[in-house]
Amino acid sequence: MNKTSVDIESIGWHFDNTYSRLPDTMLSRIRPVPVKKPSIAILNHELSKELDLDLSVVNDDVLSLIFSGNVLPDKSNCIAQAYAGHQFGHFTILGDGRAVVIGEHLSKKNQRFDIQFKGSGQTPFSRNGDGRAALGPMLREYIISEAMHYLGIPTTRSLAVVKTGETVMRETPLQGAILTRVAASHIRVGTFQYLIATNNEENLKTLLNYSIDRHYPDIKNTDNLALNFLKTVISKQSKLVIDWMRVGFIHGVMNTDNMTISGETIDYGPCAFMDDYNPETVFSSIDLQGRYSFFNQPGITKWNLARLAESLIPLIDNNKDKAIKIATETLNSFDEFYKKNWLSMMRKKLGLFGEEPNDESLIFNLLSWMNQNKADYTNTFCFLMNENFASNDIYKNQDFMSWKKKWQNRLNIKNNSFEKSLKLMRSVNPLIIPRNHKVEEALEAANNNNLNPINNLIEILKNPYQIQEKNSEYCYPSPESDKKYQTFCGT
Ligand code: AMP
Ligand code: MG
């Protein structure tokens, strides 16, 4: 063993690779393609502690070798996963075209994490792509995924971004980078779709059992595994999208290959947070029809879950018609489940306890007022929580004042104290979200080798529900001139 490999092991990897033992048709054994001159852009020390990795035992040069994949840990077992996906409604066979899972790391608490390098070079699934990623989009994934984590929303996380020292050609030449992504797993709706599309029922069953063992062992001994699995994923994904709706997050590319069965948010491409409330908001430059607009997210979640249900049909019942009937009924439970839980979430945002017949109209009246008056989604709730920084002439508007009176009357029902409501509101309404102009500012500086803004931004994003003097500049939406914010896939 040479010095470098000793160093690499000493950070504390503890691999136990199970996915790589699945049938060969489900993956490709491929290693990261080494890069020219790796250097660390950013490291996530908090996350490394949660993983029980000690990054302090080696220097940055060694860390850049580790997180570029130029040198691999002894017990890693690199694979690119095969999957398919409906991309903007069109079915395609895909697979990791620019990523490899180097293994599953176990923390000391025995939690299992996929460690994936994204941007690690070509694989058999690359199609016409170069297998690489650019610095901006990888740092963007780092920022937003960490923001989501601290907002308390299930998400993959980001452990490191390494610059490759190579140029990637997009519309312009860009600095290349590799992101180390940490996930409960990378099993997607599209992984199931891949097996059904390739008529591989045996492996479909294997994947189902594997997924249940890994994520949902509680349902392992139930009668209809496929059906209970479907029900569980429906519940996980509807809760996830409600969390997105709570904070104004727009994923932007909710293709079925970008929907996990673990219920974590995955694949931060053209995502962004909404400033002024408009249900039709779309940031992604390629989402011309608004398929993945803010308002469409729950419907698309259900659409994606329908693709999962379709893939599970042969495992739900031997009688296909019966299986379709059961799957359809199960899927349709999404609507009621979503509505009930969305209302409950919105009640919390408004500090409402119990249920009153007019709650729904109270909620919709506020949303519609925000939409008509271009009120900031995040800051309107801050205003209702008496956060002074959100004071704005817009809230002196007559319609708003009369809505507020109704809201206050509703709050006072059953002698509820405002203090109690405020506590509830504070637990769900972020004061800080990654504002688009702040993200862009940080990325631009990082592209010019100044990592201070990104580090400052991430520090602020760690306490989204707390206000501090120093973070007030992060509380405002983009200046007027930035209103037509657009995001790009960055592939
Ligand atoms: P995404 O839009 O990131 O979800 O990617 C969709 C599919 O395209 C996945 O199969 C990716 O692995 C693949 N892909 C994206 N960018 C590249 C690239 N630069 N080279 C190869 N494959 C890519
Ligand atoms: Mg993807």
Side-chain angles (χ1 to χ4, degrees):
M1 216 181 267
N2 64 34
K3 174 81 169 67
T4 307
S5 70
V6 170
D7 282 341
I8 278 175
E9 299 310 322
S10 66
I11 70 167
W13 289 122
H14 184 198
F15 286 111
D16 173 46
N17 308 319
T18 56
Y19 201 92
S20 58
R21 295 204 283 269
L22 292 178
D24 274 347
T25 45
M26 294 171 60
L27 49 96
S28 166
R29 294 180 203 284
I30 181 108
R31 294 159 75 95
V33 181
V35 299
K36 223 184 240 166
K37 199 168 176 292
S39 63
I40 296 290
I42 193 164
L43 287 172
N44 192 335
H45 291 281
E46 271 82 0
L47 177 57
S48 72
K49 282 181 201 133
E50 287 176 39
L51 297 173
D52 298 308
L53 293 174
D54 187 354
L55 305 186
S56 68
V57 295
V58 288
N59 63 27
D60 271 11
D61 288 343
V62 177
L63 289 171
S64 69
L65 291 175
I66 296 177
F67 293 117
S68 59
N70 272 16
V71 181
L72 289 163
D74 285 345
K75 299 243 164 65
S76 64
N77 189 348
C78 298
I79 52 164
Q81 296 182 351
Y83 51 88
H86 273 92
Q87 299 184 299
F88 289 89
H90 302 285
F91 185 77
T92 322
I93 299 284
L94 298 162
D96 289 327
R98 57 162 172 174
V100 291
V101 172
I102 65 162
E104 293 151 39
H105 169 77
L106 294 182
S107 71
K108 287 187 178 147
K109 285 190 212 137
N110 245 10
Q111 279 177 297
R112 181 177 298 273
F113 300 95
D114 268 11
I115 307 295
Q116 192 203 56
F117 292 150
K118 182 169 171 180
S120 55
Q122 285 178 320
T123 76
F125 307 115
S126 295
R127 297 173 291 159
N128 295 320
D130 60 2
R132 292 300 186 192
L135 180 63
M138 294 307 99
L139 288 174
R140 175 174 245 283
E141 170 152 349
Y142 188 108
I143 298 169
I144 312 282
S145 63
E146 286 306 296
M148 293 290 268
H149 168 74
Y150 287 105
L151 283 163
I153 300 177
T155 177
T156 65
R157 294 190 66 188
S158 302
L159 182 59
V161 175
V162 164
K163 295 200 261 185
T164 59
E166 295 173 6
T167 301
V168 292
M169 283 309 296
R170 297 296 181 257
E171 266 138 48
T172 52
L174 298 170
Q175 297 185 69
I178 295 170
L179 170 82
T180 303
R181 179 156 75 182
V182 177
S185 85
H186 284 84
I187 307 169
R188 307 140 192 272
V189 167
T191 320
F192 284 85
Q193 286 184 290
Y194 170 76
L195 293 174
I196 195 91
T198 51
N199 288 317
N200 208 330
E201 226 173 274
E202 200 43 51
N203 288 352
L204 187 68
K205 207 168 186 172
T206 304
L207 179 65
L208 175 69
N209 289 332
Y210 178 86
S211 303
I212 290 173
D213 275 346
R214 186 154 173 185
H215 295 293
Y216 305 117
D218 288 355
I219 62 169
K220 201 172 164 182
N221 296 316
T222 56
D223 281 349
N224 192 329
L225 284 181
L227 185 64
N228 287 326
F229 175 71
L230 177 63
K231 284 182 185 165
T232 310
V233 180
I234 290 174
S235 153
K236 284 269 172 185
Q237 282 293 340
S238 47
K239 283 184 190 149
L240 181 66
V241 74
I242 287 167
D243 261 338
W244 294 357
M245 304 309 271
R246 170 169 67 85
V247 300
F249 174 76
I250 301 171
H251 183 284
V253 61
M254 292 175 69
N255 297 334
T256 55
D257 52 301
N258 293 338
M259 183 189 256
T260 61
I261 59 103
S262 67
E264 286 184 338
T265 313
I266 197 170
D267 245 343
Y268 293 87
C271 59
F273 284 70
M274 177 170 65
D275 287 329
D276 51 63
Y277 180 78
N278 178 351
E280 290 171 11
T281 304
V282 167
F283 292 116
S284 168
S285 61
I286 57 167
D287 190 2
L288 301 175
Q289 313 290 327
R291 180 181 168 90
Y292 301 137
S293 70
F294 181 68
F295 178 76
N296 280 352
Q297 295 189 123
I300 286 293
T301 300
K302 186 182 175 191
W303 193 91
N304 288 348
L305 289 166
R307 309 289 78 78
L308 177 65
E310 271 167 15
S311 311
L312 293 170
I313 291 291
L315 306 180
I316 291 177
D317 200 286
N318 288 335
N319 178 327
K320 194 173 172 188
D321 291 339
K322 196 172 161 201
I324 292 174
K325 189 165 173 280
I326 299 172
T328 309
E329 278 167 14
T330 305
L331 193 65
N332 285 339
S333 68
F334 176 91
D335 300 316
E336 208 185 310
F337 188 91
Y338 176 80
K339 186 162 181 206
K340 186 166 162 272
N341 288 290
W342 178 83
L343 268 175
S344 156
M345 176 276 284
M346 291 303 292
R347 280 196 183 94
K348 286 185 191 155
K349 278 181 85 70
L350 288 173
L352 308 181
F353 290 98
E355 293 179 14
E356 293 296 325
N358 289 335
D359 287 352
E360 202 171 330
S361 68
L362 188 74
I363 292 164
F364 276 109
N365 287 345
L366 175 64
L367 292 175
S368 126
W369 177 84
M370 280 194 239
N371 189 13
Q372 278 162 25
N373 293 276
K374 299 192 186 325
D376 187 79
Y377 185 59
T378 303
N379 285 355
T380 299
F381 292 98
C382 292
F383 180 81
L384 295 175
M385 298 191 300
N386 291 336
E387 283 300 345
N388 291 334
F389 74 84
S391 295
N392 184 322
D393 282 349
I394 201 172
Y395 302 113
K396 292 181 184 137
N397 167 298
Q398 269 309 318
D399 291 341
F400 181 77
M401 305 271 261
S402 74
W403 176 87
K404 198 173 164 205
K405 217 170 207 105
K406 285 187 197 141
W407 171 63
Q408 279 164 335
N409 290 338
R410 166 64 176 87
L411 281 181
N412 291 333
I413 284 182
K414 293 180 192 142
N415 289 329
N416 171 54
S417 78
F418 186 61
E419 278 311 303
K420 229 174 105 194
S421 288
L422 205 53
K423 201 168 164 213
L424 181 64
M425 294 169 82
R426 287 197 175 280
S427 69
V428 292
N429 292 322
L431 305 168
I432 305 279
I433 53 166
R435 294 283 180 181
N436 300 322
H437 64 299
K438 284 287 168 196
V439 173
E440 291 302 325
E441 199 178 280
L443 293 180
E444 197 179 318
N447 259 321
N448 294 313
N449 296 322
N450 175 8
L451 271 296
N452 290 334
I454 209 173
N455 285 320
N456 293 341
L457 176 61
I458 286 166
E459 272 315 299
I460 297 291
L461 293 170
K462 285 180 184 170
N463 290 300
Y465 300 103
Q466 280 166 27
I467 192 79
Q468 302 149 26
E469 242 352 271
K470 65 173 190 201
N471 61 13
S472 61
E473 69 166 289
Y474 294 86
C475 294
Y476 296 99
S478 321
E480 207 59 41
S481 58
D482 275 358
K483 277 285 150 72
K484 279 219 164 60
Y485 186 64
Q486 252 201 345
T487 53
F488 302 91
C489 266
T491 46

